[in-house]
Amino acid sequence: MASISARGGLLVAAATAAALLAPAVSGAIVARDCARPGAACTIAETARRAGVHFGAIASTGQSDAERALLAEHFTSVTAENAMKWGEIAPRVGNYGFADADEIAAFAETNGMRLRGHTLAWGVMQMPSDLASTVAAAADPAARMSELLGEHFGTMVGRYGARVAQWDVVNEPLEVAGTVLAKNVFLDALGPGYLGLSFALARALAPGASLYLNEYVLSWPSPKLAALRTLVGNLRAGGVPIDGVGIQGHFYPFFPLPDRATMEQELRAIADLGVEIEITELDVSSWHFRDDPDPLARQAAFFGDVVSACMAVPSCRGITTWGIQDGDSWLDHAPPFDLAAPNDPLLFDRDLEPKPAYAAVRDAIATRAVPFEDEAWGVFRRVGKLRRDGLLRGPSVRTARRVVRRAAQMLRAERFADACDRLARGVRAANEATGPAVAEAAEAITALRLGLRCDEA
Ligand code: XIL
């Protein structure tokens, strides 16, 4: 199992790292505040604390060591290929579930979220006879609707209970264009295939979050604007799209955007009223090839992408398209293979975290409020309730004193001591009088819950 080491510019000393990075033990008071930048926490611990997902892909070719990294450092899993239509059914109706089952079971065993990737993708990895089957039908449109219904039904029927989020449609737009890509679905059904796909998915998986997933070659771009228009129009027409997945492949040969542009583009999509995830993040090292410290530059760019997402409240998660640099699709997919090794991921070939790891973790931490700050917030709130005459009696003074003391202890990372003080704070709040007694007690209790005080 990899531990964070000083290698690659991380500041944590190797000797203490393993102990610090033991998985967040549930059933115990927190051991450290992962909301603090630089805290010796894994990305997974930090993401949980921040209430976001940070995932990576699973494939059946991964080693045990890679799977251990996946379980330890990530909170979400996407099957790299195993759930694509043509992978799970090389010919129409001819399903082999073993690989997808294995990945779904891995996610479940490790308490990880599963993204369903992907139900309707017209670009590649389709059953080899899908197009011919549809073309041979007397009514190709009806046959395609039927096949979509059968396929979605099969997938949601088998995995729906575990899949929190489906990429219902993948890559509907032309590669660098602004119109719908010509594909087997568009041929048979016209643009209505999008609405049909989402309607089918909603009926089958009413509780899942339904995503339209798209890749962009550059930011900003006419394609991003077209994506916004497409999603906006579909939603206005009642198509149940909950979220937009921005793949986030930062391919070689295409210019990298700056952080402000990324945030602006994500916000523009969020303004449609949808959730967003960055679903397939990788950053080719090609961009930094002439830099004296390519790893540091790559780390800074990863930090920019993640912090742009964290700055937009509707941006709920990020998935990297791979775990370690030795296993990235970019090295095999033309033309990106020309830049191999792309080394676009967070772990190197020795499965050691690269500088980008810490940059990502610290960017995620910005979404979470440090416990100390939360305690000062409670302190101020109780004070305001008292000033407003909503909380009265001598015990209010005690409540404020112990919360202030708890805040100081939290700064010193004396979590157990802080928990004791906060327990006194709850009692003191309950001994007060006035209409805000419950509100004050609940605010202190919420802080205790976050600290997992009662799980000692
Ligand atoms: C890629 C896989 O990583 C490769 O193993 C496979 O050969 C081709 O597909 N956009 C997507 C992903 O939505 O499904 C693609 O995954 C990468 C681009």
Side-chain angles (χ1 to χ4, degrees):
M1 189 143 314
S3 59
I4 298 292
S5 71
R7 244 189 87 173
L10 287 166
L11 297 175
V12 183
T16 55
L20 286 170
L21 284 182
V25 204
S26 65
I29 294 178
V30 298
R32 56 199 171 273
D33 189 350
C34 296
R36 287 187 174 176
C41 296
T42 61
I43 285 178
E45 290 171 308
T46 312
R48 281 188 212 104
R49 179 86 167 79
V52 299
H53 273 291
F54 197 90
I57 51 177
S59 67
T60 42
Q62 288 165 337
S63 66
D64 290 350
E66 288 172 292
R67 283 297 179 85
L69 284 188
L70 185 54
E72 184 179 359
H73 296 277
F74 300 87
T75 67
S76 174
V77 172
T78 304
E80 179 175 20
N81 290 306
M83 290 191 176
K84 292 169 183 172
W85 194 348
E87 298 291 323
I88 203 159
R91 294 179 68 78
V92 168
N94 212 335
Y95 286 87
F97 297 109
D99 289 356
D101 282 0
E102 187 275 321
I103 289 167
F106 173 85
E108 186 163 20
T109 305
N110 291 287
M112 301 172 82
R113 182 187 71 163
L114 186 59
R115 296 194 83 250
H117 178 76
T118 170
L119 293 173
W121 187 24
V123 176
M124 58 197 285
Q125 292 172 296
M126 283 165 285
S128 57
D129 57 346
L130 180 61
S132 56
T133 304
V134 172
D139 183 345
R143 185 74 181 117
M144 183 54 106
S145 305
E146 191 179 51
L147 290 173
L148 279 171
E150 282 168 18
H151 178 60
F152 284 28
T154 303
M155 295 302 288
V156 179
R158 195 166 183 98
Y159 303 110
R162 301 183 203 171
V163 170
Q165 202 173 87
W166 287 101
D167 284 335
V168 177
V169 175
N170 195 29
E171 303 182 348
L173 289 171
E174 271 188 352
V175 54
T178 56
V179 297
L180 290 178
K182 190 173 155 44
N183 64 34
V184 67
F185 307 118
L186 191 75
D187 282 351
L189 294 165
Y193 91 85
L194 293 159
L196 174 69
S197 296
F198 280 95
L200 280 171
R202 175 58 89 230
L204 291 158
S209 195
L210 305 182
Y211 270 62
L212 184 147
N213 198 44
E214 186 57 275
Y215 64 127
V216 296
L217 293 167
S218 49
W219 314 43
S221 68
K223 181 171 181 179
L224 264 169
L227 175 63
R228 281 201 304 277
T229 307
L230 175 68
V231 172
N233 288 343
L234 288 168
R235 280 172 50 92
V239 175
I241 299 179
D242 302 312
V244 174
I246 299 291
Q247 292 187 2
H249 295 291
F250 292 95
Y251 311 97
F253 320 132
F254 293 89
L256 288 182
D258 60 26
R259 190 199 166 290
T261 303
M262 290 189 280
E263 182 179 332
Q264 204 177 310
E265 291 294 328
L266 292 175
R267 253 184 225 292
I269 295 171
D271 285 347
L272 297 170
V274 289
E275 309 172 0
I276 302 175
E277 298 221 3
I278 294 174
T279 51
E280 307 186 10
L281 178 61
D282 47 22
V283 182
S284 172
S285 299
W286 177 88
H287 296 284
F288 319 114
R289 66 199 180 286
D290 295 330
D291 200 89
D293 193 348
L295 288 172
R297 285 283 313 282
Q298 188 185 40
F301 188 78
F302 261 105
D304 284 349
V305 179
V306 176
S307 85
C309 169
M310 293 300 119
V312 178
S314 318
C315 194
R316 302 278 168 77
I318 296 165
T319 292
T320 54
W321 206 249
I323 299 170
Q324 54 101 357
D325 286 340
D327 184 13
S328 163
W329 77 296
L330 289 175
D331 288 350
H332 310 289
F336 315 124
D337 56 341
L338 296 174
N342 282 278
D343 292 344
L345 297 165
L346 297 182
F347 289 85
D348 68 19
R349 288 172 161 72
D350 296 327
L351 307 189
E352 291 289 336
K354 294 159 64 184
Y357 184 99
V360 163
R361 184 202 48 220
D362 290 350
I364 296 171
T366 61
R367 188 53 93 69
V369 181
F371 289 122
E372 184 199 341
D373 296 359
E374 208 182 313
W376 287 120
V378 174
F379 174 75
R380 284 192 297 273
R381 190 156 150 206
V382 172
K384 178 156 195 325
L385 294 173
R386 186 192 57 184
R387 283 196 305 282
D388 292 348
L390 302 172
L391 200 60
R392 298 184 291 266
S395 71
V396 182
R397 179 188 289 266
T398 312
R400 290 195 83 212
R401 185 165 38 80
V402 294
V403 172
R404 183 177 59 218
R405 189 75 191 106
Q408 290 159 350
M409 287 166 165
L410 290 169
R411 177 179 311 167
E413 305 215 294
R414 289 168 56 193
F415 298 109
D417 292 338
C419 280
D420 289 344
R421 299 297 157 128
L422 292 170
R424 281 179 55 194
V426 177
R427 285 198 300 275
N430 278 321
E431 283 160 17
T433 55
V437 167
E439 184 184 334
E442 275 161 24
I444 306 173
T445 303
L447 184 52
R448 294 189 82 256
L449 275 175
L451 289 160
R452 299 209 298 259
C453 291
D454 292 329
E455 297 178 29

